[in-house]
Amino acid sequence: MNETNVESPSDFDDASIFEGFDIELHRKDVQRIDRLVNDYEKSILNRLEEEYSSKTTYPDRLADRIAQFGGSWKFILCFSVFLAAWIVWNILVLTKSLHFDEPPFILLNLCLSFIAAFQAPVIMMSQNRQTARDKHESVIDFAINYKAELEIDDIQSHLHRIEAEEKKNLLNIKSEYLQIKVLLESIESKLENHIK
């Protein structure tokens, strides 16, 4: 007697349904697919980072650092401490002989204007470069999504073709079964006639 391969319950537990296609995949296959996708994404991001690093000049990197520091809580806290120290130093009676910017703090206003005048273009340069990088990444994301959509459409067409072939085979099997049934009925009737 031929032994058939009967799947154990652990095999069923180990299988999962691939979303949208009703294809059984084992956990190992799903983990392998996830690992391949993650590796592919990492290689693309690494390549983008290398390209970005090779195309940026020292002033560009400096602008990025200034923009990064200028848009952080560290900058806000340091600058608040600096402003508070400036104001307190120039208001205290104990330091009256060392005051260099008495109220209304004209020198402080001038310094703040200079900082704002130079910081804004630097931040804009960094943001423009980041926008160009984001646009490049979105184009790559679109290309990857478009390629994935084409692959999914191809898989679906293959699945539909396989399903159509299975239906055709099932119809052929049914017609053969009917032919065999008719043949058996005719043999049975001939045997009954022959016995009588």
Side-chain angles (χ1 to χ4, degrees):
M1 186 174 193
N2 290 342
E3 290 184 13
T4 59
N5 286 341
V6 178
E7 293 185 358
S8 66
S10 65
D11 290 338
F12 288 113
D13 293 339
D14 204 28
S16 62
I17 301 298
F18 191 64
E19 289 182 21
F21 297 110
D22 297 335
I23 301 171
E24 282 192 7
L25 291 176
H26 293 282
R27 276 197 194 119
K28 291 177 184 176
D29 296 330
V30 172
Q31 290 171 349
R32 183 173 160 259
I33 290 169
D34 287 342
R35 190 175 62 248
L36 289 172
V37 168
N38 288 338
D39 290 345
Y40 187 62
E41 286 178 356
K42 283 179 187 174
S43 68
I44 288 173
L45 290 175
N46 288 338
R47 186 169 178 185
L48 283 174
E49 194 62 39
E50 288 172 7
E51 184 180 333
Y52 179 74
S53 297
S54 67
K55 287 184 178 179
T56 54
T57 60
Y58 176 75
D60 293 337
R61 288 192 291 272
L62 182 63
D64 290 342
R65 287 190 198 121
I66 290 171
Q68 185 178 8
F69 177 69
S72 67
W73 281 105
K74 187 176 181 182
F75 172 76
I76 292 172
L77 293 174
C78 291
F79 205 64
S80 298
V81 168
F82 171 74
L83 290 176
W86 182 296
I87 293 169
V88 168
W89 181 266
N90 288 295
I91 288 179
L92 283 179
V93 176
L94 296 173
T95 60
K96 180 118 174 117
S97 62
L98 300 173
H99 289 176
F100 54 88
D101 188 24
E102 302 251 341
F105 306 113
I106 295 171
L107 183 60
L108 178 62
N109 286 326
L110 182 65
C111 290
L112 292 175
S113 298
F114 272 121
I115 290 172
F118 284 105
Q119 190 179 22
V122 169
I123 290 172
M124 289 299 294
M125 284 190 294
S126 179
Q127 285 179 340
N128 289 341
R129 214 170 26 267
Q130 187 63 42
T131 302
R133 183 179 180 183
D134 291 344
K135 184 179 179 183
H136 187 62
E137 287 180 10
S138 68
V139 168
I140 290 174
D141 286 343
F142 174 76
I144 291 170
N145 291 340
Y146 182 70
K147 177 73 174 166
E149 187 177 338
L150 290 177
E151 292 293 329
I152 289 170
D153 287 343
D154 189 42
I155 290 171
Q156 281 183 328
S157 66
H158 284 304
L159 289 174
H160 290 310
R161 182 180 50 79
I162 290 170
E163 186 180 10
E165 287 176 2
E166 285 182 0
K167 285 181 182 177
K168 185 179 176 184
N169 289 340
L170 187 62
L171 289 173
N172 288 340
I173 290 171
K174 282 184 179 179
S175 67
E176 288 176 6
Y177 172 74
L178 289 174
Q179 289 175 358
I180 291 172
K181 186 176 178 184
V182 168
L183 184 64
L184 285 174
E185 287 175 355
S186 68
I187 291 172
E188 187 178 325
S189 65
K190 285 182 183 178
L191 281 175
E192 286 178 359
N193 290 340
H194 186 63
I195 292 176
K196 291 180 183 178

